[in-house]
């Protein structure tokens, strides 16, 4: 985002485009390839690899989880007559934080219904994205949750916090809100992972009980 401020709008638009979306998924795949092939690879349980991301990173995570989203002019992008396959089968679960809608598509179900792995969706009641030429509110995060397939999914909506509350750039969030939300999201993510791989919902139930004051909505399906 650095550089000439007069080109900021075009950089935002380019970052939201199909080419960048594909490249981010390929970057993620490349990074995982290198980690698994490196010195830590032998210590990683291949059956318990989880993808996670915030905002654009949440879209990357959904595409790696199986979203059929890569489109151009309303038609799926094809190469040599075949659709580009972006799903990475090494991911067994996904954590999706503040996912924007997939641009140009009003119905998310054809895009997200093919996801079959467990997903955790995290947002806030004031999770609004404002960039030049594009705006998106918490209703879009809820639509992503509703449209996502899979046998198990969890939604947590915090009462307070903006789109950037999950990052180190608080902007409009107080330090207290930012720290509360990030600590809660960390423990929620761990409870979700334990629940996914250990098969017991106890940790998620305990997390909800301990964080009721922070929550505007919580749902398990």
């Amino acid at each position: 985002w650095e550089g000439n401020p007069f080109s900021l709008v075009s950089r935002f638009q380019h970052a939201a485009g199909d080419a960048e979306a594909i490249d981010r998924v390929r970057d993620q795949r490349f990074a995982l390839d290198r980690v698994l092939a490196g010195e830590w690879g032998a210590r990683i349980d291949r059956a318990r690899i989880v993808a996670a991301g915030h905002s654009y990173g949440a879209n990357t995570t959904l595409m790696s989880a199986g979203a059929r989203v890569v489109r151009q002019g309303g038609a799926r992008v094809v190469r040599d007559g075949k659709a580009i396959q972006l799903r990475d089968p090494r991911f067994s679960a996904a954590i999706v934080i503040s996912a924007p809608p997939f641009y140009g598509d009003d119905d998310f179900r054809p895009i997200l219904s093919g996801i079959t792995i467990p997903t955790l969706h995290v947002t806030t009641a004031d999770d609004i994205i404002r960039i030049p030429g594009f705006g998106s509110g918490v209703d879009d995060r809820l639509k992503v949750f509703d449209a996502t397939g899979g046998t198990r999914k969890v939604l947590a909506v915090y009462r307070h916090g903006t789109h950037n509350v999950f990052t180190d750039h608080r902007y409009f969030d107080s330090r207290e809100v930012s720290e509360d939300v990030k600590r809660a999201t960390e423990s929620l993510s761990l409870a979700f992972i334990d629940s996914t791989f250990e098969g017991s919902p106890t940790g998620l139930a305990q997390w909800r009980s301990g964080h009721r004051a922070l929550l505007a909505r919580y749902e398990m399906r």
Side-chain angles (χ1 to χ4, degrees):
W1 307 119
E2 298 178 356
N4 187 341
F6 295 104
S7 64
L8 182 61
V9 172
S10 64
R11 296 204 303 276
F12 272 126
Q13 293 170 342
H14 184 70
D18 289 344
E20 284 282 339
I22 294 170
D23 284 344
R24 282 193 291 270
V25 176
R26 290 174 173 164
D27 285 344
Q28 183 188 52
R29 185 184 298 269
F30 173 78
L32 182 56
D33 288 343
R34 294 298 297 268
V35 170
L36 293 177
E39 61 178 309
W40 295 99
R43 306 187 186 192
I44 295 173
D45 185 344
R46 266 48 170 193
R48 298 188 175 200
I49 299 176
V50 179
H54 170 260
S55 198
Y56 284 151
N59 281 165
T60 302
T61 295
L62 287 168
M63 285 188 281
S64 293
R68 296 184 293 265
V69 66
V70 184
R71 296 172 182 270
Q72 204 166 44
R76 190 175 302 166
V77 173
V78 295
R79 179 170 293 174
D80 299 328
K82 296 181 179 179
I84 298 173
Q85 298 297 316
L86 296 175
R87 179 178 179 272
D88 191 331
R90 295 174 295 183
F91 293 122
S92 299
I95 299 171
V96 181
I97 303 174
S98 299
F102 292 96
Y103 308 100
D105 291 284
D106 294 325
D107 186 358
F108 298 170
R109 287 171 297 180
I111 299 169
L112 298 169
S113 61
I115 294 175
T116 59
I117 60 176
T119 53
L120 168 63
H121 301 250
V122 185
T123 183
T124 78
D126 195 29
D127 190 348
I128 301 173
I129 301 172
R130 297 183 182 92
I131 62 175
F134 175 77
S136 173
V138 65
D139 286 348
D140 286 326
R141 288 359 128 230
L142 303 181
K143 285 175 63 179
V144 168
F145 171 72
D146 288 334
T148 300
T151 57
R152 185 167 195 183
K153 54 186 180 179
V154 179
L155 170 70
V157 182
Y158 296 110
R159 295 182 185 277
H160 304 292
T162 64
H163 185 68
N164 288 310
V165 74
F166 302 99
T167 76
D168 290 333
H169 302 286
R170 292 185 291 111
Y171 298 121
F172 303 107
D173 300 299
S174 69
R175 182 178 298 277
E176 180 182 8
V177 166
S178 177
E179 291 178 354
D180 285 347
V181 167
K182 285 193 281 191
R183 278 197 300 264
T185 302
E186 179 181 353
S187 59
L188 172 59
S189 298
L190 293 174
F192 168 73
I193 291 169
D194 286 344
S195 173
T196 296
F197 297 119
E198 302 302 332
S200 171
T202 303
L204 286 172
Q206 291 176 342
W207 182 89
R208 179 184 187 181
S209 178
H211 294 84
R212 289 186 186 277
L214 293 179
L215 292 170
R217 177 176 170 183
Y218 183 85
E219 186 173 339
M220 294 178 58
R221 296 185 189 176

